[in-house]
């Protein structure tokens, strides 16, 4: 595989057009400064750290879990696998929600979903979609992996098209919606809300380690894999920075619609189409691309999250029933556990007042759990460089050991702090019932999803005791 192909595959897995919307709603135009800061101090080091780790442990099946296991011990490798699994569950529910939203825009052509569907119906339909994809996983997976490349490629084209056409519209007289549009508008507020929402930026940009399995499929990984990671970082930086500037052309950063995270991408293409005299054509094209992309992502996510333990986890941590496979090689009880955890999250969302709040809360949960998982990338890098004499890599990120450890610790601490600050509810006022309610939901979700990891080794010990 060539390095541009690997960069593109990883890019469409990591970030999509909608990932620039919720940071824009949370931080306004100042998020451009955040994107630039993160690109220089976080995204580039993250990508190059992933390069070294991928080339150091290039024959391991467990990806990130293998990095941690081989650089430390089996126990921490297990916890990495567990956290990698459960962090995907809120995202699976979130993607299922996005499937419903995309079809509502295709059918209704507007934002009336919240008025036409109750939260109970929304949650039930989300769970039905998850179950349907699990039941049809064996038949859907291969075809939807192809669709994910098609949908992902189309999503990348739509994202770039929006940026370019927005620039064209402005040059041909479209007024800039955000006013005043000056340097002062880009100044960060450095408030509690600003710092508590940075975890969502990390969630939007993380995932460079997903390219690790492709190392063995490259002709010259030493030379080409770092190139792929550089390309990935630059593409991510371009979309986040210039995509946000394009949003400021059509939306007033000081008065953003309350449902911007859920419906913002459709509003954006609708406004762009009207500005160019094309009506709703661009919006409908985007809605179809989004539906294909999200369904493909759901199929791949369900398969990847449910198979994660089959990769590289010590036998003493896993109950035999969880690793049991059917005739197609699918770990059936892993799918059951994924469905159960998804149902748990949906029951929690049933306590929220409306669909828009559900959508926002699930995004916020991803901004907590996903960065905690990302911490393991930097933890493994620190552990490996601490004892670098034990390992050989064809590529070394920062040859000076102390400087490399310093960058690793910076990325680790920054990610951990942002994940922890993410517990603070967003888009609700401090001290209100809604704030306290969402704070409680955040704590319950993290404690249950991560805490269940203690249950599996205990069940495995019980199995061994019965067999003795």
């Amino acid at each position: 595989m060539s390095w541009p192909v690997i960069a593109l595959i990883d890019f469409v897995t990591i970030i999509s057009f909608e990932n620039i919307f919720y940071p824009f709603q949370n931080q306004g135009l100042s998020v451009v400064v955040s994107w630039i800061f993160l690109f220089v101090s976080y995204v580039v080091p993250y990508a190059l750290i992933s390069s070294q780790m991928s080339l150091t442990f290039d024959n391991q099946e467990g990806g990130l879990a293998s990095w941690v296991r081989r650089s430390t011990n089996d126990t921490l490798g297990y916890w990495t696998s567990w956290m990698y699994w459960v962090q995907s569950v809120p995202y699976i529910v979130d993607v299922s929600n996005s499937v419903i939203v995309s079809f509502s825009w295709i059918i209704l052509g507007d934002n009336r979903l919240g008025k036409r569907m109750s939260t109970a119906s929304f949650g039930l339909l989300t769970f039905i979609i998850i179950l349907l994809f699990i039941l049809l996983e064996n038949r859907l997976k291969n075809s939807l992996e192809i669709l994910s490349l098609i949908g992902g490629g189309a999503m990348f084209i739509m994202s770039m098209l929006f940026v370019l056409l927005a620039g064209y519209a402005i040059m041909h007289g479209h007024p800039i919606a955000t006013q005043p549009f000056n340097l002062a508008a880009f100044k960060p507020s450095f408030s509690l809300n600003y710092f508590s929402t940075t975890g969502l930026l990390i969630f939007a940009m993380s995932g460079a380690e997903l390219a690790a399995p492709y190392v063995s499929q490259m002709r010259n990984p030493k030379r080409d894999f770092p190139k792929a990671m550089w390309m990935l970082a630059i593409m991510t930086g371009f979309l986040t920075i210039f995509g946000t500037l394009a949003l400021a052309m059509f939306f007033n950063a000081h008065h953003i619609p309350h449902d911007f995270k859920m419906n913002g991408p459709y509003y954006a293409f609708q406004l762009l189409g009207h500005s160019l005299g094309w009506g709703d054509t661009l919006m409908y094209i985007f809605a179809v691309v989004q539906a294909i992309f999200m369904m493909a992502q759901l199929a791949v996510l369900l398969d990847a999250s449910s198979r994660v333990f089959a990769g590289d986890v010590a036998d003493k941590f896993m109950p035999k029933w969880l690793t049991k496979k059917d005739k197609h090689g699918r770990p059936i009880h892993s799918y059951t556990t994924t469905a159960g955890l998804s149902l748990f999250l949906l029951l929690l969302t049933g306590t929220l007042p409306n669909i828009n709040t559900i959508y926002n809360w699930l995004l916020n949960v991803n901004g907590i759990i996903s960065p905690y998982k990302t911490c393991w990338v930097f933890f493994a890098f620190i552990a490996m460089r601490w004892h670098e004499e034990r390992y050989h890599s064809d590529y070394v990120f920062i040859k000076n050991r102390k400087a490399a450890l310093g960058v690793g610790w910076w990325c680790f601490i920054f990610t951990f702090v942002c994940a922890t600050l993410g517990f603070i509810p967003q888009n609700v006022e401090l001290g209100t019932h809604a704030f306290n309610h969402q704070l409680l939901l955040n704590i319950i979700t993290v404690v249950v999803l991560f805490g269940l990891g203690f249950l599996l080794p205990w069940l495995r010990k019980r199995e061994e005791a019965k067999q003795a």
Side-chain angles (χ1 to χ4, degrees):
M1 294 179 68
S2 64
W3 61 268
V5 171
I6 288 178
L8 283 169
I9 290 174
D10 211 11
F11 179 81
V12 299
T13 306
I14 292 172
I15 193 166
S16 63
F17 182 61
E18 64 176 9
N19 288 145
I20 64 175
F21 282 81
Y22 38 89
F24 186 67
Q25 181 173 20
N26 291 331
Q27 298 186 12
L29 204 52
S30 68
V31 78
V32 172
V33 176
S34 301
W35 287 130
I36 294 172
F37 170 76
L38 284 173
F39 173 73
V40 175
S41 67
Y42 188 82
V43 175
V44 171
Y46 181 7
L48 298 181
I49 283 171
S50 296
S51 292
Q52 180 169 357
M53 298 303 292
S54 297
L55 292 169
T56 303
F57 305 104
D58 57 349
N59 293 314
Q60 306 297 326
E61 297 180 355
L64 178 56
S66 291
W67 298 357
V68 175
R69 186 181 182 188
R70 304 308 174 193
S71 60
T72 55
N73 54 55
D74 290 348
T75 301
L76 293 180
Y78 160 74
W79 277 105
T80 306
S81 289
W82 174 255
M83 289 178 66
Y84 209 96
W85 184 9
V86 297
Q87 67 87 30
S88 68
V89 174
Y91 193 45
I92 286 170
V93 178
D94 187 30
V95 170
S96 302
N97 287 347
S98 295
V99 170
I100 299 172
V101 174
S102 63
F103 275 104
S104 77
W105 276 87
I106 292 171
I107 297 168
L108 302 174
D110 54 33
N111 62 353
R112 286 179 290 163
L113 177 66
K115 297 177 182 178
R116 298 172 69 97
M117 184 177 288
S118 67
T119 56
S121 299
F122 188 66
L124 179 61
L125 185 55
T126 300
F127 189 61
I128 289 173
I129 289 173
I130 293 172
L131 283 181
L132 183 64
F133 272 72
I134 287 175
L135 292 172
L136 299 177
E137 184 67 34
N138 196 59
R139 295 187 177 185
L140 288 174
K141 181 178 176 291
N142 293 332
S143 59
L144 284 180
E145 279 185 339
I146 296 170
L147 283 178
S148 69
L149 289 176
I150 297 172
M155 180 63 71
F156 173 69
I157 292 171
M158 293 295 290
S159 302
M160 296 300 106
L161 196 64
F162 178 80
V163 174
L164 295 174
L165 289 178
Y168 175 85
I170 295 300
M171 288 189 291
H172 287 77
H174 185 88
I176 298 175
T178 300
Q179 296 294 337
F181 192 78
N182 53 29
L183 288 177
F186 291 87
K187 184 180 178 182
S189 63
F190 297 120
S191 62
L192 182 62
N193 178 71
Y194 179 86
F195 290 109
S196 67
T197 57
T198 304
L200 274 172
L201 276 70
I202 293 175
F203 164 62
M205 304 174 100
S206 63
E209 70 279 0
L210 294 173
Y214 300 110
V215 170
S216 60
Q217 300 179 38
M218 302 185 76
R219 291 179 181 176
N220 192 338
K222 176 183 178 180
R223 182 192 66 195
D224 290 343
F225 194 78
K227 289 182 183 179
M229 292 297 97
W230 269 109
M231 181 177 172
L232 172 67
I234 292 170
M235 290 169 65
T236 303
F238 178 86
L239 176 59
T240 53
I241 295 168
F242 289 96
T244 301
L245 290 173
L247 289 182
M249 304 297 105
F250 292 96
F251 299 96
N252 185 346
H254 308 293
H255 299 285
I256 298 173
H258 75 284
D259 60 345
F260 194 67
K261 294 178 182 178
M262 182 169 74
N263 294 314
Y266 306 94
Y267 292 152
F269 276 102
Q270 194 171 49
L271 290 171
L272 177 61
H274 289 175
S275 174
L276 297 172
W278 298 350
D280 290 338
T281 303
L282 283 176
M283 182 273 289
Y284 280 111
I285 292 173
F286 173 78
V288 171
V289 169
Q290 177 82 333
I292 294 171
F293 182 51
M294 287 299 168
M295 287 190 293
Q297 263 200 326
L298 180 58
V300 175
L301 277 169
L302 283 168
D303 185 73
S305 64
S306 299
R307 291 178 185 264
V308 67
F309 286 122
D312 186 18
V313 176
D315 183 63
K316 63 182 179 180
F317 297 105
M318 294 303 300
K320 291 296 183 183
W321 61 267
L322 190 58
T323 57
K324 181 182 178 182
K325 297 180 180 180
D326 63 12
K327 62 181 180 180
H328 301 292
R330 299 163 62 219
I332 50 177
H333 294 303
S334 294
Y335 284 97
T336 305
T337 307
T338 299
L341 292 175
S342 299
L343 180 59
F344 159 72
L345 278 181
L346 288 169
L347 290 174
L348 290 183
T349 63
T351 66
L352 295 170
N354 54 60
I355 291 175
N356 186 54
T357 306
I358 291 173
Y359 202 90
N360 291 346
W361 177 72
L362 279 169
L363 276 173
N364 296 344
V365 168
N366 280 305
I368 303 169
I369 293 181
S370 180
Y372 275 137
K373 175 270 301 180
T374 303
C375 285
W376 287 109
V377 174
F378 309 117
F379 177 84
F381 176 73
I382 292 167
M384 188 268 293
R385 292 302 296 265
W386 197 275
H387 299 288
E388 60 184 17
E389 69 280 356
R390 302 177 186 174
Y391 307 98
H392 168 74
S393 177
D394 290 328
Y395 170 79
V396 177
F397 170 61
I398 306 180
K399 293 185 179 180
N400 183 282
R401 177 174 170 272
K402 289 184 178 179
L405 286 171
V407 173
W409 276 111
W410 148 252
C411 291
F412 176 83
I413 293 170
F414 179 75
T415 307
F416 185 85
V417 169
C418 289
T420 305
L421 288 173
F423 277 96
I424 300 171
Q426 300 162 24
N427 308 119
V428 287
E429 292 186 16
L430 179 69
T432 61
H433 172 73
F435 181 94
N436 296 333
H437 182 198
Q438 291 190 32
L439 178 61
L440 180 62
L441 291 185
N442 290 343
I443 294 171
I444 291 173
T445 300
V446 175
V447 169
V448 171
L449 291 184
F450 288 161
L452 282 175
F454 289 100
L455 183 62
L456 299 185
W458 177 74
L459 291 174
R460 177 60 181 146
K461 286 182 179 179
R462 290 196 62 185
E463 278 185 352
E464 291 176 339
K466 290 180 179 179
Q467 294 170 359

